[in-house]
Structure formats: C-alpha cells, structure tokens
Amino acid sequence: MREDDGRDVGAVAPLEAPGGPLRDGLDVAEPGLERAATGAALGDVGGVVESVGARRASDAPLREVRAVTESTVERLASGVPLRDVLDVGAPGSWTDLDVEVRASARYRPGLLPGLAWVEGRSGSTVSSLIAATVGRLRRERGAENAVESVEPLLALALCHPDGRVRGAALARAREYPDLLPLIVVRAADWAEPVRETARELLRDVLDVDAAVALAPLILLVGRRGRGDFGVRLLGEVLRRAPGERLGPLYGSADRSVRRFAHRLAVAEGFLSPAELARAAARDGDAVIQDLCAEAVLKTVSADVGDDVLRPLLTARNPRARSSGVTALRRAGRAAEAERFLTDRSAVVRACARYVVRQLGTDPLPLYRAWCSGLGPEAGGERETGRAREPEPKPDTGQAREPEPGSGQAREPKPETGQAREPEPDTGHVREPGSGQSPERGSFVPVPGAVIGLAECGERADAVLLWPLLAHPVPAVRARAVAGLRLLDVVEAGRLRPLLEDPAPGVVRETGLALLPSAQELPADWLMERLGTRWPRHVRVTAFRLLSAGSGIVPLRAAVELLEDPDPKLRGWAEQAVQRWHPPAGLPGGEAEVEALLDRCTHLFSSYVLRRRKWEAGVGR
C-alpha cells in the first residue's frame, strides 16, 4: 500500500484527549472503521482539533467527530477509504458523490481540500489532519485494506466546485486506479480545461478491463450533454478487444449496458447466429430482442440448423417467435409454420399466416375446421335457460367455484375431448394437419384458433363463434367474445349473460365488446351487479358500462360506490363524481340529482358544489 507523504504524517503529533484516549468499544456513528481503530483514532482526533484552534466545550470533540461521520463527504474528509464509503460498483454512487460534494461546499467548505493542498504548496487543513491521523492509526492497528488518506481527499478534490481544484487533482489522480471513475465523470465536466485534461487522461489509462468495469458509469455519464466522448472511447476500446471479453456486458443487470454490448456485437460480428438467437430468446429487453432477431434473419439460409431456429421458435417473447416463424420460409421449412397459426400472440399468428400463404395454403379453412370442432356437439354440452353448460360430473373431491351472488358451489365443468401433451418445441397443443378436418373430441381446444378465425375471417364466420360462448374452457369463451367484437357482430342481448361469468377474462372481454352499446343494457340490472355479493371483476365491468351511459346514470353508479370497501373502486367512483357534469337534455330541477350531489359534499369545495347544482338546475 502507498504510504502517506511526509506533510500529512509529520503535521500531526499523536495527541490524546483531555481524559486520555477514548476506549476501543466507544459507540460512534462510523461503521466503516473497525471498532479497535475507531477508539484510538477518536482519541487523537480530539487533540488534532484542539491543535488547530477549534473552539468548543469540553465534550465537543466527541460531538464533532460524530458529525464528521454522518455523510459521505464527511467520512471521506476524515480519511475513510473509498471502498468503505461508496458502493464502487454502482455507477450512481460516483455521480451522487459529485453532486453531494458541491452541495457540501456551500455550508461546510472547510471539509474540502483546497488548491494549495492539492498542489502541495500548503500545509494541513482540519480535514487533512484528521484524515492523516485516522489513516496512520488504521495502519498501526493492522487494519485490513488500510490506505493512505490522500486518496479519499483527492476524490473530494476531483468533485470540488472550483474548476482549478478539479484540474489540479486530475494530475495526481493518475497514481490512484480507484479514482478512475471520477476521471470518467470529469471527462464530461462543464469547464473546458478540466474536461479536456480528463479526456486525455482517460484515453491514456482506459484499457479493456477498465472499459468493461466502467461501462455502466460511462454510459450513465454519456446521457449528459458533454458525455458523448466517453461513449465513443468505450466503443473504440471494446472494438479492439476479443469478442469473448464482452461476455460480462451481455449479461449485465444494466439494460443500457446490454443494449450497447449487443449493438456492438451485431455491428462487429462478435456473436454467431446461434448466439444471437439465444440472446433474442432469453433477454427480457424488447430492444435487444428485436436487434438480435433481425440480425439472425439476415443470416438465415437454406442450410440453417436447429441451433438457430429452435431458440427462436421456443422463445417466450413473441418478437423472437415471430422472427423464427419468418425464418422458416427462408430456411425452406415453411410447412412447419402451420402449427403457429394458433399461437397465443397476434404477431406470431400473422407471421404464420403469411408463411403458410406462400405455400399456396389458405389458413381460413383451417381456422374454420378447428373452430367447428370446438362447438357444443363436440363437447356434449346441454342447452339451459341462460347459457350452454356441460352435463354435471360426479363429485371428484375437487374444489368448486361458487356461483356469483348465490354462495352455492358450481360443479366443475368437464373438458371437451382428451387432453394432449404439448409439443416440446413450442409448448402449444398440436393442431390437426393441414387441409384435414379436425376429429371432434380428439384435441384440447386452442384459444388461438378462435381469435385467428376472427382475424382473417368474414362476418359470416360468426356462426362458428356464437356456440363457443358456452364452451367450458374460459380462454375459449374470452377469445370467442373478442372474435365477435373484431367481426363487428356484437349483440348486446346475447352477450349480456357473460357479464356474470366466473372467469375474469371473459367478463373483461365482454365489457369491452359491450362498451359501444352500453346504453342498450338495462341500468337497473347493471346497478344490481355493483353490490358486494358479486365478484370484483363483475362489479368493475358493471361500473365501467354504467359510466359509459348518459344522463344521471353515471352519477348514480358512482355515488353508489363512494363507500365501497374496495379502495380502487372507491377511488374510481370519486373521480367519476368529480368529472360528472349535467349533460344536455337532462331535465332541470331533478330532486335525485340534488340528493346525489348532497352525498358528495366531501369531494367538492362549496363553490364547485354550488356550480354543479346550478348547472343541473337545482339548489337555487
């Protein structure tokens, strides 16, 4: 380790506090120092402060030392090593230090080293005396990783608000590798002399290892107005490095670092198509998924192997899967795209339809055949007064879902057909072969087939979707409602029973489909479903439909929920009341409007409440 220079050590004699050295077990607010070194250091600090003429009461030394240990700047000023004060691996720690030092200079300028100390022309300051004593005592006590006190003080000097101090500190910072992050910060300094000096120094000392370690900080500083130099220098250094040295950057927790590394890898060809495919499949960032997937597509040819296509086709994110489906055509394997016609993602289904059409196959008959095999005749449902339900099965000991509002248990619904194992490549259920009519009851229904029919079908195809509203699989019912909405064949009377469906997804899709025709629904029927005896998803959808109504109905529904136990519903109701204005055509002087507004006095000021009543023609 580097030794203290003679000025710092020689300026301080080992003094003791008036009552003798403080004991090792003294409880102080300095977790960075070992307790053994802390006690002795505090004893000498009392004498140091007295030797420079500080004025305080007899117990002031302990109070002052405790104050010195409260903030990052004060701990560095007392000689605590950088690694004990900062999270050196977090880029935000260095930029935060830069801001904190400038803020501290406004109310405690004596903590910061001055220009004379940085240039070696002056003796000690209070901070340098304390830092020298603490550093010496740490070494005498055998403290691990004990460093000289110059480094933390130079860190403060590099963040000093005076540009002359920062520039002078850069000349000495070359000797301390741990201060390299602050040189990166100074390379974007607002003072041109400091900025140019820091850039020359950074260009000299930044090697591959340092570039990989400092990439998060360089990119963070690169967002500043003068931070582009560091980003360009980072790219220059990493382009000269072997491709495998970028490995830590590909898996960095910092999203901007991963993006930078993958852009560089694609531009320089550091990653093979198989590696790019795996990156597109595994990374959670959409930008990286698109970047790597597009790079893979440019390399796909007839001889591409499964090591490239398989990661794309089995990826969880739809961007990678859609790229894999598109690559099937270029690889001469377009027939395999048929199984992705029922993918859960709309973009993947669209790509699959495009690839299938290139083979001369129309996907619409396939969708029609699959959906015709999902009807009630395939699952053995029976007709009831409200909706199609499956025949009851014997009790198997499984938990039953309660009927909304009745508290009675509902028998579990049987699945149509026999369950099939999902394919190992995609995790989706295998669909019938191309051009073949599905064998009824031979496969588990895939919701993607239902919505796929609506995406490429005609309004006449709604005849295949209406029976699926009673299908025992909730996802099929939800996709059937969504398909009817896409085909623009919504009938409020036929969809209304689904607002009581036990599956939240079905109720949400039904509410979305009925929203344009909300005024056709009976308001009293919807108001009844705001009650707490109904499931939350039913109540939310009923309130949404009532809010889309006209006249006094939205206000009536919102006031009904003002005391609801659900905080979100209560909050939405309060906002709806505050947004409500009497619409044109509302009869003036309605007593109900005045009664409803009187229940909302806590939501308005007296002036606004009077204004609302005046608009409604009441309360005059």
Side-chain angles (χ1 to χ4, degrees), residues 238-484:
L238 295 180
R239 284 187 181 91
R240 298 194 299 264
E244 59 272 12
R245 298 297 297 275
L246 274 66
L249 301 183
Y250 299 141
S252 173
D254 192 325
R255 182 178 58 185
S256 61
V257 174
R258 297 201 312 276
R259 290 180 179 180
F260 180 86
H262 282 94
R263 287 193 181 103
L264 186 63
V266 169
E268 300 297 324
F270 289 154
L271 295 178
S272 66
E275 292 172 328
L276 289 172
R278 289 194 293 270
R282 296 175 182 175
D283 201 286
D285 183 57
V287 173
I288 297 176
Q289 293 169 9
D290 289 340
L291 176 69
C292 295
E294 291 175 2
V296 172
L297 285 179
K298 294 178 181 178
T299 65
V300 171
S301 59
D303 57 348
V304 66
D306 284 341
D307 59 337
V308 175
L309 291 180
R310 185 181 179 87
L312 295 177
L313 296 175
T314 59
R316 291 182 59 87
N317 67 80
R319 289 177 173 83
R321 289 203 310 279
S322 62
S323 298
V325 172
T326 304
L328 287 174
R329 177 172 175 265
R330 301 184 182 182
R333 298 164 54 178
E336 299 180 26
E338 183 178 313
R339 57 179 173 163
F340 292 92
L341 290 173
T342 59
D343 193 273
R344 62 182 179 272
S345 169
V347 65
V348 178
R349 293 193 298 269
C351 290
R353 288 194 292 269
Y354 167 78
V355 174
V356 168
R357 289 190 180 105
Q358 303 308 306
L359 292 177
T361 303
D362 186 2
L364 182 56
L366 295 177
Y367 283 126
R368 288 170 175 168
W370 292 334
C371 290
S372 65
L374 303 180
E377 64 276 9
E381 291 111 346
R382 59 184 173 84
E383 187 77 25
T384 65
R386 291 174 54 187
R388 297 182 186 271
E389 297 179 354
E391 296 290 343
K393 293 180 64 176
D395 192 1
T396 59
Q398 299 177 351
R400 303 177 181 179
E401 296 179 351
E403 287 283 359
S406 65
Q408 299 179 356
R410 171 178 294 181
E411 295 288 345
K413 298 180 179 180
E415 294 185 356
T416 59
Q418 300 175 357
R420 295 172 63 98
E421 293 293 330
E423 294 184 359
D425 289 346
T426 63
H428 305 303
V429 179
R430 185 180 300 277
E431 295 289 345
S434 174
Q436 300 178 359
S437 176
E439 182 182 353
R440 289 177 177 175
S442 62
F443 62 93
V444 175
V446 178
V450 180
I451 192 64
L453 173 63
E455 290 171 342
C456 66
E458 304 170 353
R459 298 190 68 183
D461 292 317
V463 68
L464 297 175
L465 299 182
W466 285 111
L468 300 182
L469 298 181
H471 200 279
V473 178
V476 173
R477 298 198 300 273
R479 298 301 184 275
V481 175
L484 292 171

Side-chain angles (χ1 to χ4, degrees), residues 93-183:
S93 298
W94 300 100
T95 55
D96 291 346
L97 175 64
D98 187 35
V99 174
E100 187 174 349
V101 171
R102 293 200 304 273
S104 298
R106 299 177 182 177
Y107 58 89
R108 297 193 69 180
L111 285 175
L112 305 183
L115 179 61
W117 179 88
V118 175
E119 294 179 343
R121 298 183 288 102
S122 175
S124 305
T125 63
V126 173
S127 297
S128 62
L129 292 173
I130 297 176
T133 302
V134 173
R136 177 176 57 79
L137 291 174
R138 285 173 59 85
R139 289 190 297 276
E140 291 178 357
R141 293 286 183 137
E144 296 181 1
N145 300 324
V147 298
E148 59 178 322
S149 59
V150 175
E151 184 180 78
L153 292 181
L154 273 180
L156 296 179
L158 286 169
C159 303
H160 200 283
D162 190 335
R164 296 171 300 172
V165 177
R166 297 195 304 274
L170 284 171
R172 300 180 62 180
R174 181 191 295 268
E175 305 172 8
Y176 301 93
D178 287 346
L179 296 179
L180 184 56
L182 289 177
I183 298 178

